[in-house]
Amino acid sequence: MSTIGFVGLGSMGAPIAGRLLQGHQVFGTNRTKEKASGLIERGLTWRDTPREVAAATPVVFSMVTDDAALAAITSGPDGILAGLNPGAVYVDMSTVSPQASRELAARVHALGATMIDAPVSGSVPSAEDGTLAIMAGGPDPAFRTVEPMLHQLGRSVTHVGANGQGLLLKLAINISLAAQMLAFSEGVLLAERGGIDPKLAVQAMTGSAIGSPMLKARAPLVLDLPEQAWFDVQLMRKDIRLALEAARESHVPLPAAMVADSMLGTAADLGYGHRDIAAFFEVLQRMAGPGQQAVKDAA
């Protein structure tokens, strides 16, 4: 049994930490302890600060929402870096700026430890059943140390290269995720407004050449948007903006990402910020206005 630390037990962090409880002793903390109550009942050992978690373990994981949250858990007298042991491996699974992650990796290295960025592709159900896709960046020896743990969390684990490159690949993947979801929603709406049963349209479209695993999994959410998001609009917009920022640094045009960013902004303005990205369909419906049949019925 290995001893592992985990900081950030939110909607994605909690199920990931839960899987690590299977065969490992896990020390954890979160901004609000209540969110960790279920994990504590299952055997997670609570610590009050990220520093205490890092001090107690040779391998520390974290999963938070953005650059600011990562800075909050790593810096200061109670941060991860204050408790990180020499020789430790720190694995950050957050989707943050590659540049911010590389700078943090340099600080970790200066303490005699090693950092791996290991962002994930997949939603809450994938985190729960261990079928995430994980892209890792960082030194090979440290990656080999944590690779068995990563395979416990993901169906696909790929060591991409140096620090920050796992994050860059994750952002590249999310461009397609957002663009596919938007294009699929556009197609369903076009079919619906042309008189085709939207359920039939969804079935036919996901059974065609465009039916990627992601679309097949999310298609039911398009016509019945859940209150609980798998991956919400606000987080996706953050990721797309990180991709656009990285693209500017590399002088790479990202027209699809720019359109996705605009539509995600519209979705947030309409109150869908914390709803799943399948909300694109409802957003497009509202932008289009009532259909012909609805106008006839109103008359």
Side-chain angles (χ1 to χ4, degrees):
M1 177 180 290
S2 302
T3 303
I4 299 171
F6 207 104
V7 180
L9 303 171
S11 59
M12 287 292 284
I16 290 173
R19 290 194 63 80
L20 291 172
L21 279 170
Q22 301 172 30
H24 305 283
Q25 181 182 10
V26 180
F27 291 77
T29 195
N30 190 61
R31 186 172 56 181
T32 53
K33 188 174 181 179
E34 292 76 13
K35 290 186 177 181
S37 58
L39 291 170
I40 293 171
E41 291 175 1
R42 292 172 54 192
L44 179 137
T45 302
W46 176 262
R47 289 290 181 264
D48 289 328
T49 66
R51 176 184 58 78
E52 293 176 79
V53 170
T57 58
V59 176
V60 186
F61 283 76
S62 63
M63 172 67 90
V64 292
T65 54
D66 54 26
D67 289 24
L70 183 60
I73 65 165
T74 55
S75 301
D78 288 326
I80 288 173
L81 298 190
L84 204 59
N85 295 299
V89 179
Y90 171 35
V91 183
D92 179 47
M93 307 190 81
S94 316
T95 301
V96 297
S97 160
Q99 180 59 34
S101 184
R102 286 191 292 267
E103 291 172 359
L104 180 58
R107 294 171 64 195
V108 170
H109 179 73
L111 295 171
T114 310
M115 179 172 164
I116 298 289
D117 53 285
V120 306
S121 180
S123 51
V124 173
S126 302
E128 292 172 342
D129 60 23
T131 58
L132 295 164
I134 301 173
M135 291 67 64
D140 187 71
F143 170 74
R144 298 301 171 194
T145 296
V146 300
E147 186 179 11
M149 303 170 195
L150 295 177
H151 277 291
Q152 193 172 339
L153 307 174
R155 177 181 293 158
S156 169
V157 177
T158 305
H159 186 209
V160 181
N163 285 112
Q165 290 188 312
L167 280 161
L168 189 62
L169 187 56
K170 161 64 188 290
L171 298 177
I173 289 170
N174 273 10
I175 295 170
S176 289
L177 200 163
Q180 285 181 52
M181 200 70 248
L182 177 57
F184 181 75
S185 299
E186 291 175 355
V188 175
L189 182 62
L190 180 65
E192 180 193 53
R193 294 298 169 93
I196 299 172
D197 182 344
K199 292 182 180 179
L200 179 63
V202 165
Q203 180 182 351
M205 291 169 70
T206 54
S208 74
I210 69 167
S212 68
M214 185 278 294
L215 286 180
K216 288 178 179 178
R218 241 188 191 88
L221 279 61
V222 170
L223 301 181
D224 187 15
L225 186 65
E227 289 296 327
Q228 185 69 37
W230 290 3
F231 185 14
D232 72 34
V233 164
Q234 184 171 282
L235 286 177
M236 176 58 86
R237 192 180 192 199
K238 179 261 297 182
D239 290 1
I240 294 299
R241 292 197 157 189
L242 289 174
L244 290 169
E245 178 184 320
R248 282 191 292 270
E249 294 172 358
S250 301
H251 305 288
V252 175
L254 298 183
M258 292 178 69
V259 172
D261 178 53
S262 176
M263 284 300 301
L264 288 162
T266 299
D269 290 343
L270 291 174
Y272 290 93
H274 296 291
R275 306 294 293 276
D276 191 83
I277 57 171
F280 272 145
F281 181 67
E282 286 192 11
V283 171
L284 291 167
Q285 281 183 316
R286 291 175 64 172
M287 292 173 67
Q292 291 182 354
Q293 187 59 50
V295 172
K296 290 177 182 178
D297 292 345

